[in-house]
Amino acid sequence: MSDDRPVPADPWEALRRFTPARIALGRAGPGWPTREVLSFGLAHARARDAVHLPLDLDALDAALRRAGYAPLHVRSAAYDRATYLTRPDLGRRLDAESAGRLDAARGNPGVAEVAEVVVAIEDGLSALAVQTHVPPLLACLRELSPRWDTVPVVVAVQGRVALGDEIGERLGARFVVVLIGERPGLSSPDSLGAYLTYAPKIGRTDAERNCISNIRPAGLGYAAAAEKLDWLVSEGLRRGVTGIALKDESEQAEPQLPG
């Protein structure tokens, strides 16, 4: 005999529209429903693939050149992906050839004249994030300030955040902005992070940087991220600090004058 009673509405369905988090998954006996098991497996596979996906340097280079940049290409001392994943320390230093290339570029008038801020684009743990989100983020930054029209751009393969310190130091920059693919999550395999450091040099700590995380349309949108980034760079240069000494006050309203 069939049961014609209507299936009761799921009271959690309305909340699921507002978050990619796995809430109220339900159960089938002692386990999850089949659809949730399959969904979890797919999310895990996407996150794993994002870690190993190589950066398409030709495509990124073409996008940057169309935007008017002339990127320099460097590598960390981690010579392949397996080494990068198992030796984080090697991902924080340039290989010898790349170090020499940046030392030579520092004497180039076209770089030296605009090296107040350097942008280091690094594949990190999600090349997908870099490939997808860096070009539109740079486009939003260019709408905010002419600084971003001529900023030197360095593209680094197998790079960790701290690699930007050496890049900035070798180019003689006052400030480095590292745009890097963040560690993939089960709902965000393509999250881009921005790490900002005043007076970059080898040995800087994370306490001396500011971070803007989860830059992507499903997280912090390009325009909002660009506004925060531009504000932090401007204030960091003005005050001569980043990290715990520089708080993000970009959203504070202007004080109202009386009368």
Side-chain angles (χ1 to χ4, degrees), residues 4-93:
D4 296 329
R5 289 176 298 177
V7 177
D10 183 353
W12 289 92
E13 193 62 38
L15 292 179
R16 291 197 189 98
R17 294 185 293 115
F18 299 103
T19 176
R22 287 172 169 76
I23 59 173
L25 300 182
R27 66 177 182 175
W32 288 349
T34 300
R35 70 174 183 275
E36 298 299 343
V37 174
L38 295 176
S39 175
F40 181 89
L42 177 60
H44 185 269
R46 285 174 172 166
R48 184 180 61 244
D49 289 348
V51 170
H52 294 283
L53 181 72
L55 183 63
D56 187 338
L57 285 171
D58 291 339
L60 180 60
D61 189 79
L64 293 171
R65 291 186 182 279
R66 284 195 300 270
Y69 300 107
L72 297 169
H73 293 269
V74 298
R75 301 184 62 89
S76 77
Y79 54 87
D80 60 20
R81 198 61 177 172
T83 304
Y84 173 80
L85 294 174
T86 56
R87 290 287 306 274
D89 56 314
L90 296 180
R92 301 184 182 110
R93 294 298 305 270

Side-chain angles (χ1 to χ4, degrees), residues 82-168:
T83 304
Y84 173 80
L85 294 174
T86 56
R87 290 287 306 274
D89 56 314
L90 296 180
R92 301 184 182 110
R93 294 298 305 270
L94 294 167
D95 68 6
E97 181 181 352
S98 298
R101 186 177 302 130
L102 292 188
D103 289 342
R106 182 173 180 171
N108 185 323
V111 173
E113 289 174 357
V114 292
E116 181 176 62
V117 179
V118 167
V119 173
I121 301 170
E122 304 179 19
D123 49 2
L125 290 169
S126 176
L128 176 64
V130 172
Q131 206 86 49
T132 305
H133 306 313
V134 164
L137 177 62
L138 287 176
C140 287
L141 284 168
R142 296 179 73 172
E143 294 179 1
L144 295 175
S145 170
R147 169 195 295 127
W148 304 105
D149 291 336
T150 54
V151 66
V153 171
V154 178
V155 177
V157 177
Q158 315 290 21
R160 301 276 177 174
V161 172
L163 188 69
D165 297 334
E166 184 175 2
I167 291 171

